[in-house]
Every structure is written in C-alpha cells, then in structure tokens.
Amino acid sequence: MPEKHTDFIFTTLAEEFGFVGGVSLLGLYALIILFCVASAVKNKDRFSSLLTLGIALNFFLFFAVNMSMVMGLAPVVGVPLPMVSYGGSAMFLDTTDRVRVEDLLRG
C-alpha cells in the first residue's frame, strides 16, 4: 500500500480490527447519512433541507469514492475517508459540516 495511514486507512482498520471493525465503520457511516436525511426531512426551511441533503451527498461521495479506491474499482485520486483519514483540512471541513447539520436541525 502506498500510503496506508492516509488514503488507505480503511484497509488498515479492517486489518487491525477485523470484519467486525470494518462493518462497524460502514454502519456508522450509514447512520450519519441517515441522520442527515432525517434532519433534512424534519427541517421546516427549504434552504436548510437542501443544504443538509447537500452535506449528506458530499459525505456519501467522499465515502463512496474512497471505498472504490480501496477496492480497486476506481483510480487512486487522493480522496480522504471522512473523519478517519489523516489530513487537517478534510477533517476540519467534515467537522464544520457536521456542526452545520446539527445547528440547522435545532434552528
């Protein structure tokens, strides 16, 4: 693996924690996406709903592209795995997006 601590972190996690760890991480990603969709449905404001769905789509695409790279279905393009991969700017944007979704749900 070229950079197992950055783009290929899922393979390292699956190797260290096994099948249960890999499936648990995938399940947590599914829960985050479902939370975003449920939050978008509950929002009364159309802009808030669309913004929340856009954040969920962005999160899903980052996740899907990274998983495709790990499985060899897509070329390696350097897309980080959300909330897990090493990298300051990607982690910062993931965190601000999550905070924005929670704030829109309250607001």
Side-chain angles (χ1 to χ4, degrees), residues 3-75:
E3 295 291 328
K4 65 180 181 180
H5 67 284
T6 56
D7 295 337
F8 293 93
I9 191 69
F10 182 75
T11 57
T12 304
L13 288 172
E15 179 182 0
E16 295 295 324
F17 297 109
F19 179 75
V20 174
V23 170
S24 297
L25 185 63
L26 296 177
L28 287 174
Y29 282 136
L31 284 174
I32 290 171
I33 292 170
L34 287 175
F35 172 76
C36 287
V37 171
S39 172
V41 170
K42 289 181 185 178
N43 279 329
K44 300 195 183 355
D45 182 15
R46 184 171 174 86
F47 174 76
S48 299
S49 294
L50 292 175
L51 182 63
T52 304
L53 286 174
I55 290 171
L57 180 65
N58 184 33
F59 186 82
F60 173 75
L61 288 176
F62 268 70
F63 164 72
V65 168
N66 188 283
M67 287 293 117
S68 298
M69 289 184 331
V70 168
M71 291 185 285
L73 299 175

